[in-house]
Amino acid sequence: MKIRTFLWLLLPMLALSCGGDDSDNAAPQTPDTDQGEKPDRPDPDEGPDEEPENPDGISYGQRGLEFFDLVNRYYRIQNGSAAGLYVENYNGTTGSSPSYLWGYDGLISGVATLHELGYEVDYEAMVDRFEAYYRTSGAVNVGGYGSATDGRYGSGDRYYDDNAIVGLDLVEAYELTGEQKYLDRAKRIVAFLHSGEDDLLGGGLWWNESLKNNPNDGNSNKPTCSNGFATLFLLRYYALCTMEEKVDVLAFARRLYEWLVANLRDPSDGCYWNDRSAAGVINPTKWAYNTGVMISCGVRLYRITADPAYLDLARESADGAYRCFVGPAGGLTQAYPDHDPWFTIKLVRSFMDLAPYHEPAKEYIDLFIRYLDHAWQYARTSEGLFYENWTGVSPGRSEQLLMQGAALESLGAVALYRGETAQKSM
């Protein structure tokens, strides 16, 4: 869990650490979507419970493109050294201070889906702006992406989860464009991740290079996010790297995966706890993205090794995550969490990875699509930006770039899942 500037993100939701309560398999109430004035939220006792047949021919890619235009209008910095980057929060004025790396990465993940669908979205230029966060100082003499930037140079702490997630974006950029520079930049991240691994607590990566092995600091820990996203990045990079690198990269990925299964996997439901502190204490909080990334890792490891044990663990985690994170919320009988949509889309994208091997995952995705439809109509601001709370009860932290990036990625990921392209809508 990212605590730094977002420490307060934990506070209202700690009570939602999963209790395993099962609920009826009803869908969110999903009204028809039209182009008129946004209606009031529906009565939770009314409306269809079954999956709609998409009578309006919704194109999620077109919705994503329309929504990206809004994000550019309200968040993109137009002038100065940070031009082309985005502000952290929109509160009526755009401002000029660029966002933290996490928020910018969340936006890039969504823009990548639009590019893959075939829309013109200035994708390569946006990926190139990651370099504004890069720096080669720090506790070790190795380059990495800082948590902040002034628009020209990276600053702030360097987090292993942030760097692994940027690495995933760079690998994806190479796959989508064929530009060698993105693979070269991804290779740098392998070295940075190596600098975060040691034998304390039996192995694994720390969360932050400045907070290693300090038992008196609760932020000094080895979390699922760092280790899980590093594993997934390494497995994605493994498919593209040189033969000379492959043995080390795969061995590194498997070490991290095995450490997570041994230390942070809850055997009762297959979900993953948040972290193990430097003092050796486990934080049992569960977040959707932590389990999601491990599902995707299991699928990747199965594809690489053909070992069905990886797929078995992924299936167990998927079913456990659905029971853990889906339930009544905001008057809806069955919904994904009403907070932190970036966490949710990472879980749902893992369901998309798993769906060819696990039929129930398709049902989990269908529910998410209905929830997304509900949010499009009932959980947006007057500007058209998404609430954090997709039930529509309250805006939550809707001003954050990360919330809007999560919505954009959700629209684009659904479009890809449904087989849309820029020339073909459903």
Side-chain angles (χ1 to χ4, degrees):
M1 181 64 206
K2 297 174 184 250
I3 301 172
R4 41 193 182 282
T5 313
F6 308 105
L7 177 62
W8 38 264
L9 178 146
L10 281 166
L11 300 179
M13 304 319 306
L14 284 175
L16 294 179
S17 181
C18 306
D21 182 33
D22 291 340
S23 303
D24 295 336
N25 280 325
Q29 312 307 317
T30 309
D32 292 338
T33 302
D34 58 37
Q35 301 301 315
E37 182 179 354
K38 186 171 75 172
D40 295 330
R41 293 180 71 252
D43 187 317
D45 294 325
E46 297 178 357
D49 277 348
E50 295 182 358
E51 182 180 0
E53 294 297 327
N54 194 14
D56 297 318
I58 297 169
S59 167
Y60 292 91
Q62 285 289 341
R63 280 187 173 180
L65 188 64
E66 172 188 330
F67 181 65
F68 183 49
D69 288 342
L70 288 176
V71 173
N72 280 320
R73 183 185 311 171
Y74 294 113
Y75 288 84
R76 187 180 173 94
I77 299 170
Q78 302 297 333
N79 301 300
S81 61
L85 292 172
Y86 291 73
V87 295
E88 178 71 15
N89 298 292
Y90 171 70
N91 291 307
T93 58
T94 300
S96 59
S97 297
S99 72
Y100 291 103
L101 178 60
W102 189 15
Y104 188 65
D105 169 80
L107 183 63
I108 293 294
S109 296
V111 173
T113 65
L114 295 182
H115 177 80
E116 187 172 354
L117 287 163
Y119 295 105
E120 294 292 334
V121 288
D122 201 29
Y123 172 61
E124 289 189 49
M126 290 189 67
V127 176
D128 287 338
R129 292 188 183 98
F130 272 132
E131 297 312 293
Y133 293 87
Y134 191 81
R135 62 184 177 88
T136 312
S137 58
V140 293
N141 188 28
V142 61
Y145 292 87
S147 60
T149 182
D150 62 2
R152 297 176 298 172
Y153 306 109
S155 61
D157 290 324
R158 298 192 302 186
Y159 295 80
Y160 297 103
D161 59 335
D162 275 353
N163 276 265
I165 295 166
V166 172
L168 285 165
D169 287 321
L170 292 171
V171 167
E172 184 173 38
Y174 174 75
E175 292 172 338
L176 293 175
T177 69
E179 291 289 337
Q180 182 64 35
K181 63 183 177 181
Y182 298 128
L183 198 59
D184 293 341
R185 292 169 187 172
K187 182 176 181 178
R188 301 181 307 193
I189 293 176
V190 177
F192 181 72
L193 294 177
H194 268 300
S195 74
E197 183 188 28
D198 60 32
D199 293 331
L200 297 172
L201 305 177
L205 295 176
W206 295 95
W207 178 48
N208 177 328
E209 71 173 345
S210 301
L211 290 169
K212 295 180 180 179
N213 194 27
N214 184 351
N216 297 317
D217 191 325
N219 292 333
S220 178
N221 60 64
K222 292 187 173 183
T224 299
C225 61
S226 293
N227 288 276
F229 281 102
T231 301
L232 186 57
F233 159 66
L234 291 165
L235 294 173
R236 292 279 300 272
Y237 181 72
Y238 170 83
L240 303 168
C241 68
T242 65
M243 291 301 297
E244 291 77 13
E245 298 173 84
K246 285 188 182 295
V247 171
D248 172 70
V249 169
L250 183 58
F252 189 9
R254 294 177 80 165
R255 282 198 307 276
L256 299 181
Y257 179 89
E258 289 163 7
W259 184 88
L260 279 163
V261 171
N263 285 270
L264 293 175
R265 189 177 193 269
D266 183 345
S268 71
D269 61 5
C271 294
Y272 286 77
W273 296 311
N274 191 69
D275 66 78
R276 189 174 177 191
S277 74
V281 178
I282 289 177
N283 174 355
T285 306
K286 294 173 182 174
W287 300 97
Y289 77 137
N290 282 333
T291 299
V293 72
M294 289 300 288
I295 294 168
S296 292
C297 289
V299 173
R300 287 272 168 180
L301 280 164
Y302 170 71
R303 291 175 181 170
I304 292 169
T305 67
D307 185 343
Y310 292 120
L311 204 55
D312 290 342
L313 289 177
R315 289 178 178 132
E316 291 173 11
S317 293
D319 294 341
Y322 187 77
R323 293 192 298 270
C324 182
F325 297 108
V326 174
L332 304 180
T333 53
Q334 198 81 329
Y336 281 86
D338 58 6
H339 59 93
D340 300 293
W342 188 85
F343 292 1
T344 298
I345 185 55
K346 298 307 178 186
L347 175 62
V348 172
R349 295 201 79 173
S350 79
F351 292 156
M352 293 175 178
D353 289 341
L354 184 63
Y357 311 100
H358 191 51
E359 193 68 22
K362 298 175 184 178
E363 300 174 14
Y364 307 160
I365 298 164
D366 289 344
L367 176 64
F368 176 76
I369 294 173
R370 297 195 292 275
Y371 194 39
L372 177 60
D373 289 343
H374 179 92
W376 178 266
Q377 192 161 3
Y378 296 107
R380 292 196 293 160
T381 68
S382 59
E383 296 93 348
L385 301 171
F386 273 73
Y387 289 2
E388 175 191 11
N389 182 343
W390 284 15
T391 71
V393 168
S394 66
R397 295 163 293 163
S398 61
E399 73 280 357
Q400 288 189 8
L401 178 65
L402 185 65
M403 305 304 164
Q404 307 311 321
L408 181 63
E409 183 178 0
S410 298
L411 292 163
V414 167
L416 289 169
Y417 176 74
R418 289 161 57 92
E420 293 182 28
T421 67
Q423 293 75 38
K424 172 189 171 186
S425 62
M426 296 297 293

